[in-house]
Amino acid sequence: MSQAKLVYRPTPNEPLSETIVHAVADTLGVDPVDLDDRISDCIDPDALDRLFRPDTDGTPSPDGLVVFSMAGCRIEVEGNRSVLVTPSRDVSATTGLEA
């Protein structure tokens, strides 16, 4: 059985790191404050925001890929600022949710 993959994109003024936190929480069905992992425990959110900051005219950079794990999910961030969240098979271990 394949895992669902959800793609998120931040609004123009939303930090990418904030989008990631909300995307992971949404994928796991929890409130962002209830996540056991904090994004800063997994990756430097300021560096991530700077790396994928759009050009001054708002155009995202088409290049780049960063992959990391957070709260039992695989996170892939592409140069166009799309965020792909793939939950692991057993996210209950990282969220305290019942399987």
Side-chain angles (χ1 to χ4, degrees):
M1 179 180 213
S2 66
Q3 295 291 320
K5 293 182 181 181
L6 304 172
V7 177
Y8 298 84
R9 287 191 172 74
T11 61
N13 295 323
E14 182 179 36
L16 186 59
S17 57
E18 188 175 313
T19 300
I20 292 168
V21 170
H22 287 277
V24 170
D26 185 51
T27 299
L28 299 177
V30 299
D31 191 279
V33 298
D34 292 332
L35 290 170
D36 287 340
D37 287 351
R38 301 290 173 235
I39 193 167
S40 59
D41 295 334
C42 308
I43 196 166
D44 181 335
D46 294 328
L48 187 68
D49 290 337
R50 283 191 308 273
L51 183 64
F52 291 101
R53 181 177 295 139
D55 291 337
T56 54
D57 66 357
T59 305
S61 170
D63 298 327
L65 174 67
V66 171
V67 179
F68 64 98
S69 296
M70 179 180 166
C73 294
R74 176 185 166 98
I75 315 300
E76 297 177 43
V77 183
E78 296 182 4
N80 65 2
R81 294 174 45 94
S82 65
V83 177
L84 177 68
V85 178
T86 308
S88 68
R89 292 186 181 184
D90 181 17
V91 295
S92 62
T94 59
T95 62
L97 300 175
E98 294 182 22

